[in-house]
Amino acid sequence: MTDGATVEVIRNHLVSAAEEMRAALVRTAFNPVIYEVHDFGISIYDRSLRLVAESTGLSRFLGANDYSIRKGIEYVGEPAEGDIFVLNYPYWNAAHSYDATMFAPVFSGGELVAYLCIRAHWMDLGAKDAGYVLDSTDMHQEGLIFPGTKVYSGGEPVRDILELIRFNSRMPALVIGDLNAQIAALRTGERRVAELFDRYTAPVIDDVVDRFVRAAAESAAEAVTRLPQGSWTAEDWLDDDGVTEDPILMRCTVTVRDGTFTVDFAGSSPAVPGPVNLPIGSTIATCRVAFKAITTPSEQTNAGHFAPLRVEAEPGTLFHAVYPAATFTQWTGTVALELIYKALAQGMPERMPASSGGDVPGFMMVGVHPDTGSMFAVSNNDPVGWGGSPDHDGIGPANHLCQTQARNTPVEVLEAKTGMFFERVEIRADSAGAGRFRGGCGLRRDIRFVTDGEFLSVIKKTKSAPWALDGGRQPEPNQVVVFPGTDRERRVSTKRTPVRAGDRVTVLTAGGGGHGDPDRRDPDAVRHDVQEGYVSVEAARKVYGVIA
């Protein structure tokens, strides 16, 4: 048996290889959503397709690569040395069509020893609308589709496929640049993993992987046995599907019993016409984020950590999209993450916070840049407040729980690369739900357009408020107000709005829900909140009964 020191050297070498892949991707990507926001997921697998290491990226990509690489290898068969494939068929890819997954084998001494996988958000693949598709009704409106297609064969580029991608994009330089960045990252990982197999024999590494995957499974199983046992159900609503204005029911039941943790989405809406349906791989990834957070949050992730998790969703429903259902707007998974926590709060209230602002308030501008004459499509996901907990306030504004390893797009980048000018970005006083422990505050962002174009708002929780716990109060939901102060003023959620230079938009993100009766809040904490600008003098008196 391999000694413990060698186990840790090999395990950490794999994690370091994933981090080097991440560095290569960020340093060479063309698209701000990759190099600034970190909208990507990077994973390393053994020859049996068990996850052995990953790098930080978008939290909801946790485990999404696992599903897609299995589907990809099932489709392409055993690859040859030097091959690289692209996969974005949403029902296999565990994401929408613009999250392009690229995967490659690693060989050592002529033997297949591992796999590498990177998914990253591309800005355009010829969908019916530029930037983001908000109202598609089937997959074929959502861009060019690859089921697992070689872009490199035996180490050489496949020119025909690369040209097909180039000629099907409105922004080909960005897309080809990001494709090459993913290739650079895959080649970096290939070298580092091959070095490991040059140093140690394959049987030694196989033994080490068996040991740390088994240890992770044991750790996760032990954590599940420590959780309260039982079954709890919760419901929540999406605003709409982008095609109709009908609210959409989400329902999940979480059951912790006999060493398993099961999330069942029975009772949720059937698949809907618009693009909010989730591929099952994306649903599984959402559940993995919730599961990992309450079982083994401090451990480096590998396949063993998810051994006790079961996810159930009937095909043809909101949480298990099947061909040709539209899937482009993936915000369902964002709201569903806290739906799982809402169910768990019934059985383990001492561990669960109230809801955050409940969504990722996303926006994007699409247009033609006056300096370059080229099309741009640059996005940002705004922060919300996190919910109050049984023993402390929620933080905020901060990225939503599903994106805690990702970042916002800097104002400087948004202003330089689009026609947006930001007149105000500030924390919103009184936006948090009151409580013994209040939620975190939301954000206000006032945007003035300096060029013509389109403003896209992507948000699915503006009509129902984030939930509170134990007597806490709900905050106001997210809001997007277009053309404020004019006769055209209106509130929108997910909408494509033509804008002209001089028009304005205000984005108001929600605070987190409160936890506990506000009357029990420490008066000194209220006064501190007033000093910091989180709570107004009026709200301190009216809500908390404190003169500040």
Side-chain angles (χ1 to χ4, degrees):
M1 181 180 291
T2 311
D3 63 272
T6 302
V7 170
E8 286 303 297
V9 168
I10 290 173
R11 186 180 68 81
N12 281 284
H13 185 113
L14 291 166
V15 172
S16 295
E19 286 297 322
E20 284 196 54
M21 293 169 67
R22 174 182 177 275
L25 179 67
V26 168
R27 290 173 180 174
T28 57
F30 279 44
N31 175 2
V33 80
I34 297 176
Y35 65 74
E36 291 287 359
V37 176
H38 295 179
D39 189 348
F40 54 73
I42 298 173
S43 310
I44 298 176
Y45 299 87
D46 70 0
R47 70 185 85 196
S48 300
L49 296 176
R50 291 183 299 178
L51 176 68
V52 296
E54 65 173 9
S55 172
T56 55
L58 195 67
S59 302
R60 267 197 59 228
F61 284 166
L62 182 69
N65 285 351
D66 300 11
Y67 188 88
S68 46
I69 195 169
R70 289 182 181 277
K71 288 294 186 181
I73 295 301
E74 180 183 313
Y75 178 75
V76 306
E78 185 170 308
E81 189 168 359
D83 288 351
I84 298 177
F85 301 85
V86 61
L87 165 66
N88 73 334
Y89 182 58
Y91 321 108
W92 294 352
N93 189 38
H96 65 181
S97 57
Y98 279 15
D99 287 331
T101 296
M102 298 181 69
F103 59 93
V106 179
F107 281 77
S108 177
E111 179 184 3
L112 176 62
V113 295
Y115 291 93
L116 309 169
C117 187
I118 300 176
R119 75 175 58 227
H121 184 89
W122 292 357
M123 287 313 299
D124 190 84
L125 271 176
K128 77 180 189 72
D129 299 314
Y132 224 78
V133 182
L134 306 181
D135 61 354
S136 51
T137 54
D138 71 64
M139 181 199 77
H140 296 289
Q141 299 172 345
E142 298 177 348
L144 191 64
I145 299 298
F146 296 99
T149 305
K150 272 186 197 178
V151 292
Y152 268 65
S153 180
E156 296 298 323
V158 182
R159 183 179 183 277
D160 288 351
I161 298 300
L162 295 178
E163 289 298 283
L164 183 67
I165 294 170
R166 187 192 310 275
F167 277 84
N168 276 275
S169 176
R170 300 172 179 90
M171 293 172 276
L174 277 180
V175 170
I176 296 297
D178 291 339
L179 179 150
N180 286 329
Q182 285 176 262
I183 290 170
L186 287 168
R187 294 305 189 210
T188 298
E190 184 180 11
R191 290 192 298 271
R192 295 296 175 256
V193 175
E195 287 172 2
L196 185 65
F197 280 86
D198 291 342
R199 181 177 178 185
Y200 298 97
T201 65
V204 169
I205 295 175
D206 289 344
D207 175 60
V208 166
V209 169
D210 286 342
R211 288 180 62 183
F212 67 65
V213 169
R214 185 169 60 249
E218 292 170 354
S219 179
E222 182 182 350
V224 169
T225 62
R226 293 197 301 266
L227 295 175
Q229 306 294 291
S231 187
W232 312 280
T233 299
E235 294 182 351
D236 205 346
W237 297 85
L238 291 177
D239 282 358
D240 54 51
D241 69 349
V243 175
T244 76
E245 295 186 359
D246 299 332
I248 303 167
L249 175 65
M250 302 184 302
R251 189 175 192 266
C252 85
T253 299
V254 180
T255 303
V256 183
R257 186 175 295 132
D258 300 328
T260 62
F261 185 106
T262 302
V263 185
D264 186 352
F265 290 94
S268 294
S269 168
V272 293
V276 298
N277 305 292
L278 274 192
I280 185 62
S282 186
T283 298
I284 293 169
T286 296
C287 295
R288 285 186 168 194
V289 174
F291 177 76
K292 187 76 164 57
I294 64 169
T295 53
T296 56
S298 60
E299 298 181 17
Q300 290 279 358
T301 304
N302 65 59
H305 287 109
F306 305 111
L309 177 64
R310 307 287 183 269
V311 179
E312 299 175 2
E314 191 70 23
T317 60
L318 183 68
F319 288 98
H320 191 160
V322 297
Y323 176 86
T327 64
F328 201 97
T329 310
Q330 298 276 290
W331 261 240
T332 306
T334 299
V335 183
L337 176 62
E338 292 196 270
L339 177 67
I340 298 169
Y341 291 142
K342 188 177 184 181
L344 289 171
Q346 300 171 47
M348 46 193 84
E350 74 287 349
R351 300 186 60 160
M352 289 294 114
S355 175
S356 78
D359 202 351
V360 175
F363 65 83
M364 171 185 289
M365 188 179 182
V366 178
V368 176
H369 200 285
D371 296 337
T372 65
S374 298
M375 172 172 275
F376 63 79
V378 182
S379 63
N380 176 61
N381 292 331
D382 253 352
V384 294
W386 287 21
S389 294
D391 56 2
H392 61 83
D393 295 340
I395 64 169
N399 277 351
H400 186 267
L401 281 63
C402 72
Q403 294 191 322
T404 50
Q405 297 300 318
R407 307 188 304 191
N408 308 118
T409 307
V411 166
E412 295 83 354
V413 172
L414 291 167
E415 291 185 339
K417 292 184 175 292
T418 76
M420 293 185 284
F421 177 78
F422 294 87
E423 298 181 323
R424 179 191 308 192
V425 181
E426 66 182 21
I427 292 174
R428 295 176 58 215
D430 300 333
S431 59
R436 180 186 179 193
F437 296 102
R438 61 163 176 79
C441 290
L443 190 77
R444 174 173 181 157
R445 193 184 289 261
D446 291 344
I447 305 169
R448 175 168 53 86
F449 300 98
V450 297
T451 64
D452 299 352
E454 292 181 297
F455 180 78
L456 281 64
S457 52
V458 189
I459 184 170
K460 288 298 179 185
K461 197 167 177 60
T462 66
K463 299 174 183 176
S464 56
W467 41 273
L469 287 175
D470 195 29
R473 296 192 185 179
Q474 293 178 297
E476 292 295 317
N478 300 281
Q479 300 177 43
V480 179
V481 183
V482 297
F483 314 125
T486 73
D487 57 5
R488 296 181 294 157
E489 177 177 322
R490 67 183 188 275
R491 294 185 179 184
V492 299
S493 53
T494 300
K495 188 73 174 177
R496 195 176 196 96
T497 305
V499 293
R500 299 185 67 84
D503 287 338
R504 287 178 166 82
V505 166
T506 295
V507 179
L508 304 172
T509 77
H515 196 293
D517 187 342
D519 289 342
R520 297 179 61 202
R521 184 162 178 79
D522 182 349
D524 287 338
V526 177
R527 295 186 184 98
H528 179 266
D529 287 343
V530 172
Q531 291 172 354
E532 294 294 326
Y534 303 146
V535 175
S536 66
V537 171
E538 295 77 14
R541 176 180 53 79
K542 183 177 179 180
V543 177
Y544 292 104
V546 174
I547 304 299

